[in-house]
Amino acid sequence: EAGVAQSPRYKIIEKRQSVAFWCNPISGHATLYWYQQILGQGPKLLIQFQNNGVVDDSQLPKDRFSAERLKGVDSTLKIQPAKLEDSAVYLCASSPTGRVPNQPQHFGDGTRLSIL
Amino acid sequence: AQTVTQSQPEMSVQEAETVTLSCTYDTSENNYYLFWYKQPPSRQMILVIRQEAYKQQNATENRFSVNFQKAAKSFSLKISDSQLGDTAMYFCAFMKRVSWQGGSEKLVFGKGTKLTVNP
């Protein structure tokens, strides 16, 4: 089975610029997560989708971050405008659905974002 | 809110020896899961082991085992016969258990422990 795909792997931008990340979850996984991992810390959830609906976006800085999941498959995460503190690795994860809840999450390779 | 604490930022072990990584957590939930994830340098995060809180028996996966102490809210990972490929960041994570079909909750991670296995 193909894993969670993310692109790009690396991105360098200047502050106040915009950036977008893309994620394609494992086929059939209805739940998709975006995590932010700042250097030296564990990942922190930004947003969780169930199909194309938002389950949890309580820690998403909505003044600059946005995310969508069209048709319940691929997802994009956008930052506009970027700040220095947004430098981090952005991880996408997905988990399977079915009659059994609480399935483990599978992670992509992440996108490493550097803000100059 | 749940919190996860990993008090050992870095650890090292000699190849073939045993090492234990510590994790404590705080929650008011009674039904939950605990995980250890491994993140090798510049590589993706992978699941090492999972423990269901309502199970008293400690989970094991080959060379990896946990010591789950629910009352003490402690969840340590033991790696036996350490291998060079075990060098990685190890994250302890908490997930609240849900009962609705197809559902799952977010993971709450600790800050991680950097493990180095020396030849």
Side-chain angles (χ1 to χ4, degrees), chain A residues 9 31 33 35 37 40-43 45 48 50 56 58-59 91 95-105 107-109, chain B residues 33 35 37 39 42-47 50 91 95-112:
Chain A
R9 284 298 308 274
T31 309
Y33 312 79
Y35 289 87
Q37 185 178 13
Q41 299 183 21
L45 181 78
Q48 175 184 348
Q50 178 78 13
D56 184 352
S58 57
Q59 297 189 85
L91 297 169
S95 61
T97 53
R99 287 190 291 177
V100 179
N102 306 299
Q103 294 298 305
Q105 297 175 26
F107 286 82
D109 288 338
Chain B
Y33 296 85
F35 302 85
Y37 276 88
Q39 189 177 42
S42 301
R43 294 180 62 187
Q44 67 181 216
M45 184 117 44
I46 57 174
L47 178 65
R50 166 174 134 148
F91 291 97
M95 185 177 81
K96 191 167 62 173
R97 185 172 185 264
V98 299
S99 58
W100 47 282
Q101 182 172 321
S104 61
E105 276 280 326
K106 67 183 179 187
L107 289 165
V108 177
F109 287 90
K111 289 188 174 183

Side-chain angles (χ1 to χ4, degrees), chain B residues 42-68:
Chain B
S42 301
R43 294 180 62 187
Q44 67 181 216
M45 184 117 44
I46 57 174
L47 178 65
V48 174
I49 200 165
R50 166 174 134 148
Q51 175 77 41
E52 298 168 82
Y54 60 90
K55 288 187 176 179
Q56 291 186 335
Q57 187 173 5
N58 289 322
T60 62
E61 281 291 338
N62 301 314
R63 298 183 295 107
F64 299 89
S65 61
V66 298
N67 183 4
F68 173 49

